[in-house]
């Protein structure tokens, strides 16, 4: 019997070890329910480092303020630094063969990074001049490790000589008193003189010759420019620049060493035989040559030894030219990239001084989905036959990065995903049932047996490191997280993300892979403000159609420029249709109505607050007319401090367009410009949030039940005094105040107003159910704060008059109207918070039963999950027993931060901009997607996974355990009966 008991205990222990709870994350579980992807953004400058043996790399700077070193073999990131939003990289180069030099903040900060590992070596703040000017970086190409040559930097009206060894500022020369707009810094090779050239006004040209070692002024030349200067100048050689006149119809060549000499002025009509159009000087660095862009063509012009201009070639505007590459002393090469109609790109490498000689030529088949080439950077290597081979780093229209070599794409990076501007989700198709073969069943049985043997070894801590890797791989495989069909828990979905380049990506939530991508044809070659919306979400049991999304682009420089609409199938990634309406698009209002095909109705509002209905079908108009009187919207003009409410006018169709409607102003709120400036507005998620219950029990209160004021028409508004609208610290506590409002957007009624004296923004807020949480800075306490406001409907409190309840004279089921002057009551509380915040979101679940968590994107680019209970305004220092039973937390002045509450674990989402939450079909679980320069996805359970078992739970082991327990009980019963019988015979 003792043996049977021991067997039973052993089975129980094995079961408990295997069915571990899910409130912690083990090392081998990372990556099972989450994924993390790193990007750098659109590359704008690149420097190759391939001279020495070892790892070949390219150092890049991007439009996302990223400085990174990439492996040339695979495109992986060696190291990466993300600078602040206001610390824009102006220049990048390599010094001493071991330092990456970056100039940023408009010439205000110079940094040196260690090339192998990216550690910062030194940083210099180049301050002292206040004049705003162009920033320039000049690093002599003859730098040697044992020689401390100087780096020359111009910015903010000052020229600095900075040591390349330790970043010490050796000398500084100010140009503020000279009133010169410096255009170029020239440091001739093996020369101790540098030249700064520029213009005073638009008609006077000046040159300063300066000692490169000590900054002494050696000479100064000035001369009147023939005519007015357009502001475009290009260095052609160490002693020659070209400039465009103010009318951009003539070219001026200027020699500036040993005096200023304007060689000649040539009319464009004499060069290209076309006097129409406006010329643009292209920023190429070809020795003795320059290029113009005019009338859709690029024209290459050589300056001969006699100073004459000679047209060398004329190519179409889609052609891209690289910067020159030094091959040997006095010999430079550059690359020309051209597209053809067959989807190929042709890469040609030529010598600068011999246009007709081609060093290299190849053709590469390029995916049309990447668009045109925007930039190209070339590098050479030595082949086995001692000839020069060439590789090209290419930046595409969709912001992707490719390395081309020997006529093939060596690697590619989808760095367009670093600039996401909008996210929606799409369900996957339903899995179709298919027959299962006998061989498949046998294979599954052996895999099952092998898997459980490995898991048993892992449970008993007998697994080798190789076994642990196999176990983790089996968990990933068994989770079926990468299948292209929906699962019963609702974990598998498509994230449809829209990037700034106008490209759509469908990311699988299982592993983050790109299922499909589409560079929208209707939004190409335009600087468009883009947004994405759900268009059609068909029910899979009723319709055979695929879901689709609507992409809206507001293109053009002016606010009244026409918009562009594109409709895309989320399963196939194909553009269904596109249109270019004649009206502008300033707002898009998704309406809570769908037609027979489950297309959602949308109102597009133009700059003049006129409304246009989509889809443009008779059925949509019929549905819209039924709900005409219930459609309102609001507009916010932060600059003028005005918020307006709008509604539609009846019978206001414009001509024959039955989908066009005029609007009328219903209300307006004007904030006085001398005391309040709007800095934040937040509303609830439209048609996405489910509220489980409207009632909230309040123990030890006169009314035991309070009813939440649930309205989709509420808006949170935050204003500050104009003096405190800048960065933190620009105003004193007495000059600063933050005022928050809760406004009904239907009637314009201000339901609540509260002032935080001595506080200022930035304000980040989230609105959910009947509460709003917002984050700001308290100047008096020198700390960040988070405040919560909860709003309740006082008129819906339970009526205790029994006869009124019997006769039905209560108002618990009466409809709520924004014009009914509902009595509301608010509860609020403020807490100190440790971190600065970039974004705030809130979890959402399918039925709204699970408790809420705030997802806070901190300044260190991590996502923190904070239980909403800590932001309950009813918290007190000594809660009653009833309040404790409700889960009310005792009051503290600060919000707690548990290191285990970071959703991103130890990872960072660099450049964090937004957090999106999506409910799963499983009520306990929320899907979380955080995006910035990096992407991160996971799923969390705010109230634990109370309604499910873990994915790797072994039902087979559970069955074996139950059978073992039953067998042990049966054996124990038999042994007990025998023992009783033996005792009776004694």
């Amino acid at each position: 019997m003792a043996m049977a008991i021991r067997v039973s205990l052993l089975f129980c222990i094995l079961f408990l070890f295997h069915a571990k709870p899910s409130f912690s994350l083990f090392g081998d579980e990372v990556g099972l329910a989450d994924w993390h992807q790193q990007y750098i953004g659109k590359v704008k400058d690149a420097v190759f480092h391939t001279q020495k043996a070892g790892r070949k790399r390219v150092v890049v700077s991007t439009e996302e303020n990223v400085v990174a070193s990439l492996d040339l073999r695979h495109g992986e990131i060696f190291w990466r630094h993300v600078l602040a939003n206001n610390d824009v990289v102006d220049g990048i180069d390599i010094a001493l063969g071991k330092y990456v030099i970056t100039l940023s903040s408009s010439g205000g900060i110079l940094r040196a990074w260690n090339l192998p590992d990216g550690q910062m070596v030194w940083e210099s703040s180049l301050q002292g001049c206040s004049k705003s000017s162009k920033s320039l970086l000049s690093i002599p190409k003859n730098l040697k490790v044992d020689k401390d040559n100087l780096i020359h930097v111009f910015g903010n009206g000052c020229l600095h000589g900075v040591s390349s060894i330790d970043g010490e500022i050796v000398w500084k020369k100010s140009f503020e008193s000279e009133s010169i707009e410096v255009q170029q810094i020239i440091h001739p090779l093996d020369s101790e003189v540098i030249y700064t050239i520029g213009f005073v006004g638009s008609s006077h040209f000046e040159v300063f010759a300066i000692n490169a070692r000590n900054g002494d002024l050696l000479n100064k030349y000035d001369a009147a420019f023939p005519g007015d200067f357009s502001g475009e100048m290009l260095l052609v050689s160490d002693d020659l620049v070209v400039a465009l006149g103010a009318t951009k119809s003539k070219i001026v060549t200027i020699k500036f060493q040993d005096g200023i000499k304007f060689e000649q002025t040539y009319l464009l009509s004499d060069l290209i035989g076309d006097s129409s159009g406006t010329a643009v000087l292209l920023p190429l660095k070809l020795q003795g040559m320059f290029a113009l862009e005019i009338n859709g063509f690029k024209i290459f012009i050589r300056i001969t030894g006699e100073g004459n201009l000679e047209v060398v070639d004329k190519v179409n505007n889609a052609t891209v030219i690289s910067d020159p590459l030094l091959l040997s002393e006095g010999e430079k090469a550059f690359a020309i990239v051209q597209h053809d109609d067959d989807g190929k790109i042709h890469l040609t490498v030529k010598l600068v001084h011999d246009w007709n000689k081609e060093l290299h030529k190849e053709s590469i088949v390029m995916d049309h989905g990447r668009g045109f080439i925007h930039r190209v950077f070339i590098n050479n290597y030595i082949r086995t036959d001692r000839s020069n081979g060439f590789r090209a780093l290419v930046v595409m229209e969709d912001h992707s990065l490719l390395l081309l070599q020997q006529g093939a794409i060596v690697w590619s990076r989808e760095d367009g995903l670093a600039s996401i501007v909008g996210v929606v989700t799409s369900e996957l198709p339903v899995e179709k049932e298919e027959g299962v073969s006998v061989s498949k069943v046998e294979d599954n049985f052996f895999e099952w047996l092998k898997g459980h043997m490995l898991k048993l070894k892992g449970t008993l801590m007998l697994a080798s490191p190789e076994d642990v890797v196999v176990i983790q791989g089996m968990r990933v495989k068994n989770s079926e997280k990468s299948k292209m069909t929906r699962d019963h828990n609702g974990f598998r979905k498509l994230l449809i993300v829209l990037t700034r380049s106008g490209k759509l990506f469908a990311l699988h939530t299982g592993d983050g892979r790109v299922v499909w991508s589409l560079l929208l044809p209707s939004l190409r070659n335009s600087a468009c403000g883009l947004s994405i919306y759900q268009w059609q979400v068909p029910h899979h049991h009723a319709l055979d159609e695929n879901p689709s999304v609507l992409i809206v682009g507001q293109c053009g420089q002016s606010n009244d420029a026409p918009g562009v609409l594109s409709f895309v199938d989320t399963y196939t990634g194909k553009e269904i249709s596109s249109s270019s309406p004649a009206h502008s698009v300033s707002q898009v209002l998704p309406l809570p109505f769908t037609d027979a095909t489950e297309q959602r109705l949308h109102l597009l509002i133009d700059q003049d607050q006129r409304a246009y209905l989509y889809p443009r079908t008779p059925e949509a108009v019929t549905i819209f007319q039924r709900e005409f009187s219930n459609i309102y919207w609001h507009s916010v003009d932060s600059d003028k401090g005005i918020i307006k409410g709008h509604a539609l006018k009846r019978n206001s169709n414009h001509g024959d367009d039955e989908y066009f409607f005029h609007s009328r102003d219903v209300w307006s709120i004007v904030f006085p410009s001398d005391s309040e400036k709007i800095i934040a507005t937040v509303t609830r998620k439209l048609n996405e949030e489910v509220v489980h219950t409207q009632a909230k029990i309040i123990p030890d209160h006169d009314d035991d039940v309070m009813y939440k004021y649930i309205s989709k028409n509420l808006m949170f508004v935050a204003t500050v005094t104009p003096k405190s609208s800048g960065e933190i610290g620009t105003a004193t506590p007495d000059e600063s105040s933050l005022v928050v409002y809760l406004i009904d957007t239907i009637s314009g009624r201000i339901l609540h107003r509260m002032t935080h004296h001595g506080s200022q923004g930035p304000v980040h807020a989230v609105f959910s159910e009947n509460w709003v949480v917002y984050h700001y800075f308290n100047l008096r306490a020198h700390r960040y704060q988070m405040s919560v406001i909860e709003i309740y409907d006082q008129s819906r409190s339970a009526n205790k008059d029994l006869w009124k309840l019997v006769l039905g004279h209560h108002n618990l089921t009466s409809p709520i109207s924004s014009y009914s002057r509902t009595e509301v009551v608010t509860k609020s509380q403020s807490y100190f918070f440790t971190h600065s915040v970039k974004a705030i979101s809130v979890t959402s679940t399918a039925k709204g039963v699970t408790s809420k968590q705030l997802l806070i994107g901190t300044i260190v680019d991590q996502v923190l999950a904070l239980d909403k209970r800590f932001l309950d305004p009813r918290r007190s220092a000594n809660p009653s027993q009833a309040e404790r039973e409700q889960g009310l937390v005792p009051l503290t002045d600060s919000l707690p931060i548990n290191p285990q509450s970071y959703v991103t674990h130890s990872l960072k989402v660099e450049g964090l901009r937004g957090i999106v939450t999506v409910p799963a079909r499983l009520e306990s679980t929320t899907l979380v997607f955080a995006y910035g320069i990096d992407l991160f996805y996971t799923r969390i359970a705010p109230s634990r996974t109370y309604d499910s078992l873990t994915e790797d739970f072994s039902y087979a082991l559970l069955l074996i355990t139950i059978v073992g327990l039953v067998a042990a009980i049966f054996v124990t019963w038999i042994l007990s009966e025998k023992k009783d019988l033996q005792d009776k015979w004694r």
Side-chain angles (χ1 to χ4, degrees), residues 239-257:
D239 63 346
L240 183 68
V241 296
V242 295
L244 280 179
T247 60
K248 297 188 177 183
S249 61
K250 63 181 180 180
I251 302 170
V252 180
T253 60
I254 310 169
K255 289 188 176 181
F256 55 86
Q257 290 187 13

Side-chain angles (χ1 to χ4, degrees), residues 578-719:
S578 64
S579 63
S580 299
H583 59 83
S584 61
V585 181
S586 62
Q587 282 181 271
V588 179
L589 305 179
L591 303 177
F593 320 120
T594 58
D595 61 12
T597 61
E598 298 198 38
Q599 291 183 122
R600 176 177 289 185
L601 273 61
H602 289 70
L603 270 186
L604 272 58
I605 313 299
D606 68 8
Q607 188 66 21
D608 299 319
Q609 297 300 320
R610 292 173 296 193
Y612 301 83
L613 178 64
Y614 289 85
R616 299 172 71 85
T617 61
E619 182 188 6
V621 172
T622 303
I623 298 172
F624 184 74
Q625 291 289 356
R626 289 201 300 264
E627 304 291 341
F628 190 91
S629 59
N630 295 324
I631 297 174
Y632 296 81
W633 72 94
H634 67 276
S635 60
V636 180
D637 190 335
S638 300
D639 295 331
K640 296 180 180 178
I642 300 176
I643 302 177
K644 291 184 178 181
H646 310 278
L648 298 171
K649 289 183 180 179
R650 282 200 172 274
N651 302 321
S652 59
N653 289 343
H654 181 65
D656 297 330
D657 189 355
E658 60 179 333
Y659 308 105
F660 167 81
F661 301 90
H662 283 289
S663 68
R664 56 188 176 90
D665 293 344
V666 180
W667 56 267
S668 65
I669 299 175
V670 180
F671 296 93
S673 58
D674 58 341
S675 60
E676 293 187 65
K677 178 179 176 56
I678 300 173
I679 60 170
T681 59
V682 177
T683 58
R684 283 184 60 193
K685 290 183 179 180
L686 295 176
N687 309 314
E688 295 182 9
E689 188 179 38
V690 178
V691 180
H692 175 64
T693 177
Q694 293 189 14
K696 188 170 185 178
I697 299 175
I698 312 294
D700 303 332
H701 193 269
D702 294 338
D703 297 321
D704 291 341
V705 178
M706 295 188 71
Y707 289 87
K708 304 173 184 177
Y709 186 78
I710 305 295
S711 174
K712 296 180 180 179
N713 305 315
L714 278 183
M715 176 174 60
F716 169 82
V717 180
T719 67

Side-chain angles (χ1 to χ4, degrees), residues 156 198 254 272 306 382 494 520 562 579 589 605 618 701 794 882 916:
N156 297 320
I254 310 169
I272 61 176
E306 295 78 19
I382 305 300
L494 289 179
L520 296 169
S579 63
L589 305 179
I605 313 299
H701 193 269
Q794 192 75 355
V916 178

